Amino acid sequence: MNKRIGVTYRDGHEGKNRLAFQRVFYTKDIKDLHHSTACDFDQFLIDDRGCGWFTEKTPSNQTTSRIFIFSAKGDLLKTHVVIGKPTLYECDGQAVIAACEGTDGKGYIYRFDKESLEPVAQWVIDGFLWDLEWVDDVLYITSYRTRDGLAVLSIANRDKIKDIALGRGMFPVGVLRKPDALYIAFSFIASGKTGKVARYDDTGCLIEETMIDSAPRQMFAYKEWLVLHGMDMTKGIADELVYVNPKDGSQKAYKIPKAIDLRAQGRHLLLYHRDGETVLYWSHEKRKIIRMMHLPPRMEAHDVKGLQEYR
């Protein structure tokens, strides 16, 4: 996360709960949230019931952090302590997922019920978290285990979790569940600028692979296409989108402006520029930038209150 407060939203894009952009306006200058918690916030999620889930801004070496849940009126409903630094996802009509990076090289994942606002499941991942996907009450998690350089797929269902070794020498940067199979994107560590997309069945058995002349950083889906945000890790430059048709392995690459983050929004990808104030709209249909939007300056974390969604 950058120094400003981040915003996380749900996205109905083919079952993938990626970050989707909706502008939030701070309708009034009320500081009760900050005063009632005596802390600053790092990011927040507004669920489909109007509750605000806020994560605490903490030092990088702090082992735990807090999640605050507020009503739509700004009343503090619940506070939970989690291990690590959380990223929030709204994954279906019932749950919010907090995926937390621990200071011990492990990942801690909590599933919260949106009705009770209480954790109903918790899983520990032995490695650094890369991506997750929630479909039909099953959580698919990709991680990288530094002690032996192993990429791992974890399949969690309620209190059970199954780990599947995917191979060494690559980061499992993205996971997507489509009706026909599970897809995982990998970046090869040695080359720094190539990768692959692998197709698996529901049990984690490999079906086929497609090599990519770019190192994937993120993976999205649009219609029959897998869309990879490619980068050259040797130069630290991510300026390419690669469209891959998993049925026949065909692919097409397009250059894009450098961006610090990409988010899916229906027929578009939103490219967040490094200045933090500009969003570029990339059209999947036209395969080009079709619009640029300048965002107003964001408020400081302790000023966030009275949130109103603009769709």
Side-chain angles (χ1 to χ4, degrees), residues 205-276:
C205 292
L206 178 65
I207 300 173
E208 63 180 359
E209 299 176 323
T210 301
M211 298 300 164
I212 308 295
D213 291 329
S214 184
R217 182 187 181 195
Q218 293 172 275
M219 181 167 60
F220 307 91
Y222 181 70
K223 294 184 176 179
E224 72 273 21
W225 297 93
L226 298 175
V227 185
L228 307 175
H229 184 201
M231 72 178 300
D232 184 339
M233 290 191 290
T234 63
K235 299 179 180 178
I237 298 174
D239 62 352
E240 192 172 55
L241 287 179
V242 182
Y243 284 75
V244 179
N245 188 329
K247 293 182 180 180
D248 59 16
S250 62
Q251 51 190 283
K252 179 69 174 178
Y254 301 86
K255 288 294 182 182
I256 61 170
K258 299 175 186 178
I260 58 173
D261 191 19
L262 269 67
R263 304 183 186 182
Q265 188 188 58
R267 294 175 296 175
H268 304 98
L269 284 179
L270 306 184
L271 283 61
Y272 285 73
H273 194 266
R274 292 183 180 277
D275 63 10

Side-chain angles (χ1 to χ4, degrees), residues 85-102:
K85 180 180 176 63
T87 297
L88 301 173
Y89 300 83
E90 183 176 23
C91 290
D92 57 23
Q94 300 296 322
V96 167
I97 298 290
C100 308
E101 285 285 1

Side-chain angles (χ1 to χ4, degrees), residues 147-206:
R147 58 182 169 84
D148 54 7
L150 188 66
V152 178
L153 168 67
S154 300
I155 303 176
N157 190 347
R158 290 293 179 180
D159 57 343
K160 298 179 181 179
I161 189 165
K162 175 184 177 182
D163 291 336
I164 301 169
L166 302 175
R168 291 180 169 83
M170 53 191 181
F171 295 133
V173 298
V175 58
L176 274 168
R177 180 69 172 87
K178 291 174 73 69
D180 62 327
L182 184 73
Y183 293 89
I184 300 178
F186 298 90
S187 289
F188 295 137
I189 300 172
S191 71
K193 49 187 177 183
T194 57
K196 68 178 180 180
V197 174
R199 182 159 67 104
Y200 298 85
D201 65 16
D202 288 335
T203 65
C205 292
L206 178 65

Side-chain angles (χ1 to χ4, degrees), residues 3-283:
K3 292 183 180 179
R4 304 185 191 190
I5 191 166
V7 188
T8 306
Y9 290 99
R10 59 193 177 275
D11 176 46
H13 172 64
E14 297 197 12
K16 181 65 176 177
N17 294 286
R18 288 274 183 193
L19 305 183
F21 175 78
Q22 298 172 20
R23 190 58 186 155
V24 171
F25 289 93
Y26 308 114
T27 56
K28 48 187 176 179
D29 183 17
I30 305 177
K31 301 181 180 180
D32 293 347
L33 287 188
H34 172 66
H35 291 157
S36 64
T37 61
C39 73
D40 285 336
F41 302 120
D42 191 32
Q43 68 165 272
F44 66 88
L45 177 149
I46 302 174
D47 67 25
D48 59 4
R49 305 180 186 206
C51 290
W53 299 66
F54 287 71
T55 66
E56 178 184 16
K57 183 179 291 185
T58 58
S60 59
N61 61 347
Q62 185 168 314
T63 57
T64 62
S65 59
R66 291 176 291 177
I67 296 174
F68 302 96
I69 309 171
F70 295 89
S71 70
K73 296 181 179 179
D75 299 319
L76 180 60
L77 303 176
K78 294 279 185 178
T79 303
H80 295 288
V81 177
V82 295
I83 301 174
K85 180 180 176 63
T87 297
L88 301 173
Y89 300 83
E90 183 176 23
C91 290
D92 57 23
Q94 300 296 322
V96 167
I97 298 290
C100 308
E101 285 285 1
T103 58
D104 54 358
K106 295 183 179 181
Y108 298 86
I109 299 178
Y110 301 81
R111 178 185 176 184
F112 292 92
D113 180 82
K114 288 194 293 186
E115 195 70 52
S116 66
L117 306 181
E118 295 289 343
V120 293
Q122 179 182 350
W123 304 277
V124 180
I125 304 299
D126 184 15
F128 289 99
L129 298 176
W130 274 100
D131 198 16
L132 59 84
E133 173 81 307
W134 177 273
V135 179
D136 296 333
D137 214 33
V138 178
L139 188 62
Y140 301 92
I141 308 150
T142 58
S143 61
Y144 180 77
R145 212 161 59 195
T146 55
R147 58 182 169 84
D148 54 7
L150 188 66
V152 178
L153 168 67
S154 300
I155 303 176
N157 190 347
R158 290 293 179 180
D159 57 343
K160 298 179 181 179
I161 189 165
K162 175 184 177 182
D163 291 336
I164 301 169
L166 302 175
R168 291 180 169 83
M170 53 191 181
F171 295 133
V173 298
V175 58
L176 274 168
R177 180 69 172 87
K178 291 174 73 69
D180 62 327
L182 184 73
Y183 293 89
I184 300 178
F186 298 90
S187 289
F188 295 137
I189 300 172
S191 71
K193 49 187 177 183
T194 57
K196 68 178 180 180
V197 174
R199 182 159 67 104
Y200 298 85
D201 65 16
D202 288 335
T203 65
C205 292
L206 178 65
I207 300 173
E208 63 180 359
E209 299 176 323
T210 301
M211 298 300 164
I212 308 295
D213 291 329
S214 184
R217 182 187 181 195
Q218 293 172 275
M219 181 167 60
F220 307 91
Y222 181 70
K223 294 184 176 179
E224 72 273 21
W225 297 93
L226 298 175
V227 185
L228 307 175
H229 184 201
M231 72 178 300
D232 184 339
M233 290 191 290
T234 63
K235 299 179 180 178
I237 298 174
D239 62 352
E240 192 172 55
L241 287 179
V242 182
Y243 284 75
V244 179
N245 188 329
K247 293 182 180 180
D248 59 16
S250 62
Q251 51 190 283
K252 179 69 174 178
Y254 301 86
K255 288 294 182 182
I256 61 170
K258 299 175 186 178
I260 58 173
D261 191 19
L262 269 67
R263 304 183 186 182
Q265 188 188 58
R267 294 175 296 175
H268 304 98
L269 284 179
L270 306 184
L271 283 61
Y272 285 73
H273 194 266
R274 292 183 180 277
D275 63 10
E277 307 294 348
T278 306
V279 178
L280 304 176
Y281 280 68
W282 171 271
S283 168

